[in-house]
Amino acid sequence: KHCKQLAVLVLSKKLSSHPSTVCQCPLLLLISMVSQQNCPKLVSMDLWRARQCSNAGLMEVITRCPLLTDIDIGWNRTVDFGPLIAALLKYCPNLRKLFATAIRSITGLSLRELHKFQRLEQLDVLGSPSLAPDDVWFLLKARPTLKFLDLSFCQLINEAVVVSMREQFPNVAIKKSFSV
């Protein structure tokens, strides 16, 4: 019953200052709640370091949240990014912000798939070890709505490439930290 009015969901280890339309609960309880009814008003889901996060659980939730625009799955080491992107494309086409910090399963192919999100504005792929510059160039060219991109600690993308990207895409704030 309460899930029908839920707008923001925080399951992360961060302290939240969201309004009363926020639910803070264990992922297993959430899956149980959502599988019994849709969450038509859920627009934001924060699963940063939610240790119980799995692809099966995420899929169960995503398929019932058609208005989802923001999702943070950062630091969830068990998330398989490819299938997750396919589900988000199918069930949450209005995605604007995707935080995938330290998700090791991000590949160039899965990054390229993100161009299909027509409203994507913000992407954080900090610490993705296998992203190549060509994959990022593709996304930048194919997704003109992008406003912020965090490539910090992406080992295959060097400073010269980032400088060139910033010159060619001045409307995108491209963040890159190089030091370890």
Side-chain angles (χ1 to χ4, degrees):
K1 184 176 179 180
H2 303 319
C3 195
K4 297 265 187 209
Q5 300 303 317
L6 188 65
V8 178
L9 175 66
V10 179
L11 296 172
S12 75
K13 289 192 165 197
K14 294 183 264 186
L15 293 177
S16 174
S17 61
H18 293 288
S20 62
T21 53
V22 172
C23 172
Q24 289 185 303
C25 61
L27 187 60
L28 296 176
L29 177 58
L30 167 74
I31 292 168
S32 174
M33 283 177 10
V34 173
S35 61
Q36 295 172 15
Q37 56 188 318
N38 290 344
C39 292
K41 295 184 180 184
L42 188 68
V43 294
S44 181
M45 191 164 37
D46 185 347
L47 302 171
W48 182 82
R49 290 193 186 216
R51 293 196 175 161
Q52 299 169 327
C53 208
S54 69
N55 270 43
L58 282 172
M59 301 297 181
E60 186 73 29
V61 173
I62 287 169
T63 60
R64 291 169 169 80
C65 303
L67 298 181
L68 193 66
T69 61
D70 305 2
I71 186 169
D72 186 342
I73 55 167
W75 292 96
N76 287 294
R77 307 233 178 208
T78 60
V79 169
D80 189 354
F81 197 70
L84 178 64
I85 292 306
L88 285 168
L89 279 166
K90 183 175 181 178
Y91 298 104
C92 308
N94 296 316
L95 197 68
R96 293 179 317 122
K97 297 178 184 179
L98 176 58
F99 302 94
T101 304
I103 300 296
R104 305 291 190 235
S105 61
I106 298 175
T107 64
L109 182 59
S110 59
L111 184 76
R112 287 174 180 249
E113 285 294 296
L114 296 177
H115 87 277
K116 295 176 182 175
F117 289 107
Q118 299 296 312
R119 294 178 176 91
L120 188 65
E121 297 175 359
Q122 186 169 347
L123 177 62
D124 179 345
V125 290
L126 178 149
S128 298
S130 64
L131 291 184
D134 288 347
D135 302 315
V136 179
W137 281 112
F138 176 86
L139 181 64
L140 286 167
K141 291 173 185 172
R143 189 68 282 125
T145 57
L146 203 58
K147 296 178 183 174
F148 180 82
L149 177 62
D150 191 345
L151 299 170
S152 297
F153 305 104
C154 292
Q155 301 163 348
L156 301 178
I157 301 170
N158 64 37
E159 187 172 6
V161 170
V162 172
V163 167
S164 181
M165 288 175 178
R166 287 176 180 153
E167 289 172 356
Q168 288 197 21
F169 298 94
N171 295 330
V172 181
I174 302 173
K175 182 178 177 184
K176 175 71 172 159
S177 296
F178 296 95
S179 58
V180 177

